[in-house]
Amino acid sequence: MLENLQNVINVSEFRKRAIFTLIMFIVFRLGVHIPVPGVDSSVIENLFTSGNLFGLLDLFSGGALSKFSILAMSITPYINASIIMQLLTSVVPTFEQWAKDNQDGRDKIQKVTRYGTVALALIQALAMSYALKVNNALVVDSWSTVIMVTLILTAGTCFLMWLGDQITAGGIGNGISLIIFAGIVARFPNGCATVYKYIQAGSINIFQAILFVIIAFFMIAIVVEVTQGTRRVTVQYAKRIVGRKMYGGHSTHIPLKVNQAGVIPLIFASSVLMFPVTIAQFSQNATIKMVAGWFAWGTVTNTVMYAILIFFFTYFYTAISLNIPQLTENMQKYGGFIPGIRPGQPTAKHIDKIMTRITLAGAFFLAFVAILPNFIGWITGVQGVYFGGTALLIVVGVAIDTMKQAESLVLNKQYQGFMK
C-alpha cells in the first residue's frame, strides 16, 4: 500500500490536481464562516436543531446552516434539480432523446439542471428567509431584508455549483460530490470532541466509547462491501463476420449492483418524513403539532415509516435508473445473449427477475443503515453524535469513486505508449 501511495505522489499531474482540490476545500470552509448580514444568530441556534429538516441540511452543509452563513443552503438545490431532471428524463421524450445523444445532449441536460438549481435555490431561500421573519430571527423585520437574505443564499448556492465545476475540471473526482463529502467530514472532529466531553463528564465510560468505535467500523465495512457488491450476469457474444474480419465469440458479464439506487431512497424518505415536522414549525395549531410529533426523529412511527418508504423508493428509483428494455435491446443488437435464455423479451424478464431479488437485499441494507443510528445512542450511551445513514453512504461512495478516478489518472500518466 505504501508503495502504491508513493507511486501516486510521484505523478506531478496528480499532485497539482490534489493541491487544487485542497485549495477549493479551503475556500469552501472559509465561506462556511461568513455570516449572512441582518440575521440574529442567537435565534438561529434554537431553530436549527437536529431531528428536523434543517438538521439534515446542516449536516450536508458542514455546519454552514447552523451558523447561517452565505453557504447555508449548501449544494442541496443542485441535488434536488439533478434528481428531478433524472426522473423527467424517463418520462419526457425530449429529455430522453437528449440523454441518448452524445456530449451535446448531455450538455443540454446539464444546462437545464443549472437553471433548475437557480429556481429551486430561490424558492428554498425565500422559504427560509420567510421562516426567519416569522420566528423574529431578522434584525430588521422587513420584506427588504427578506429579499436581501434570499438573494445572498441563492448566490451562495450558485457559487458552490461553480466551485464544484472547478474541482471537476482541475481537481480530482466529481466536484459536487466532493463538496458534500467535505461538509460531512468537517463535522467529524466535533463528533470526536463530543465523545471526549462525555467521557470527561462521566456520562459514558471508556468501554462504551470503544463499543461506539467498533460499531462505527462495522458499519463502514458493511457499507463498503455492499456498495461494491454486484451480481454478474454472464453474456455470450456470437461470432459474426464483417468483411474479412471476425468479431465476437467472447464471454463477458453485466454487473448488476446490489445497491443500484444509491443514497437517493434515503434522501426521498427523509424529505417525506420531515415534511410534517417542518410544516408544524410554522403552525400554531395544536392538532397539527401533535400529529407532527408522531413523526419526530427517533419515534416508533418515524422509524417504521422510514423503513417502509426506503423499500418503496429503492424499487421505484431502481426501476427508473436501470432501463432493462434498452439494455436488452443493445445486447441483442451486438449479438449478445445470456446462455440458456432466449434473446428479446425472455432476456428482459430474466434480468428483471434478478434485479427484483438483489434490490430486496439492497433495500434491507439501506433500511438497516438508516435505522441503526437510532439505536446506537441507546446501545452505547453516546447521544448527540450522528453516525450512519445518508451521511455514511455519501462519504463511502464519494471516497470510493474518487479513489478510482485517482487511480485511473495515475495509470494514464504512467503509460508511455509505443512511441516516446
Side-chain angles (χ1 to χ4, degrees), residues 29-272:
R29 293 308 300 169
L30 288 176
V32 168
H33 298 282
I34 302 176
V36 175
V39 179
D40 189 347
S41 59
S42 61
V43 180
I44 296 297
E45 294 178 359
N46 298 326
L47 286 178
F48 303 139
T49 56
S50 60
N52 54 30
L53 179 60
F54 298 127
L56 180 67
L57 296 177
D58 188 43
L59 179 67
F60 288 162
S61 64
L65 185 57
S66 58
K67 298 180 179 64
F68 212 78
S69 74
I70 58 175
L71 306 180
M73 293 197 307
S74 185
I75 205 68
T76 306
Y78 181 85
I79 299 174
N80 295 333
S82 299
I83 294 174
I84 293 173
M85 193 63 189
Q86 189 170 0
L87 295 176
L88 291 177
T89 302
S90 303
V91 296
V92 178
T94 302
F95 294 159
E96 186 177 1
Q97 183 60 42
W98 287 356
K100 293 179 181 179
D101 291 341
N102 296 326
Q103 187 61 38
D104 185 53
R106 290 192 291 269
D107 289 342
K108 291 179 181 178
I109 292 178
Q110 185 67 13
K111 186 176 181 180
V112 174
T113 303
R114 295 179 190 280
Y115 284 130
T117 299
V118 176
L120 291 177
L122 277 171
I123 295 172
Q124 183 177 333
L126 182 60
M128 291 175 63
S129 303
Y130 179 73
L132 296 179
K133 186 177 186 300
V134 171
N135 289 275
N136 300 318
L138 298 178
V139 176
V140 179
D141 190 8
S142 64
W143 281 105
S144 60
T145 306
V146 170
I147 294 174
M148 179 191 69
V149 173
T150 300
L151 294 177
I152 291 175
L153 293 177
T154 304
T157 295
C158 294
F159 172 74
L160 283 182
M161 186 167 58
W162 174 83
L163 199 68
D165 289 340
Q166 300 308 305
I167 295 176
T168 302
I172 302 173
N174 182 278
I176 301 298
S177 300
L178 285 173
I179 287 176
I180 303 173
F181 173 87
I184 295 174
V185 172
R187 305 298 297 273
F188 179 74
N190 292 334
C192 295
T194 301
V195 174
Y196 180 72
K197 290 179 181 178
Y198 282 157
I199 296 175
Q200 279 191 323
S203 302
I204 61 174
N205 54 47
I206 189 65
F207 297 103
Q208 289 175 303
I210 293 175
L211 179 60
F212 179 80
V213 174
I214 292 174
I215 293 176
F217 276 107
F218 173 72
M219 290 183 64
I220 292 174
I222 291 180
V223 170
V224 172
E225 190 69 24
V226 177
T227 301
Q228 296 285 75
T230 58
R231 165 69 187 277
R232 296 185 176 185
V233 179
T234 303
V235 177
Q236 183 71 38
Y237 283 90
K239 294 181 179 179
R240 55 195 179 96
I241 299 176
V242 179
R244 295 184 178 183
K245 294 184 179 181
M246 179 179 293
Y247 296 90
H250 65 277
S251 178
T252 183
H253 66 271
I254 301 175
L256 300 178
K257 298 183 67 174
V258 175
N259 183 23
Q260 177 70 29
V263 75
I264 301 300
L266 272 68
I267 296 177
F268 280 179
S270 300
S271 301
V272 171

Side-chain angles (χ1 to χ4, degrees), residues 218-229 258-263 266 310-311 314 358-373 389 392-393 396:
F218 173 72
M219 290 183 64
I220 292 174
I222 291 180
V223 170
V224 172
E225 190 69 24
V226 177
T227 301
Q228 296 285 75
V258 175
N259 183 23
Q260 177 70 29
V263 75
L266 272 68
I310 287 173
F311 269 81
T314 299
I358 65 175
T359 300
L360 179 62
F364 270 112
F365 157 72
L366 289 176
F368 171 77
V369 172
I371 294 175
L372 187 60
L392 182 58
L393 286 170
V396 171

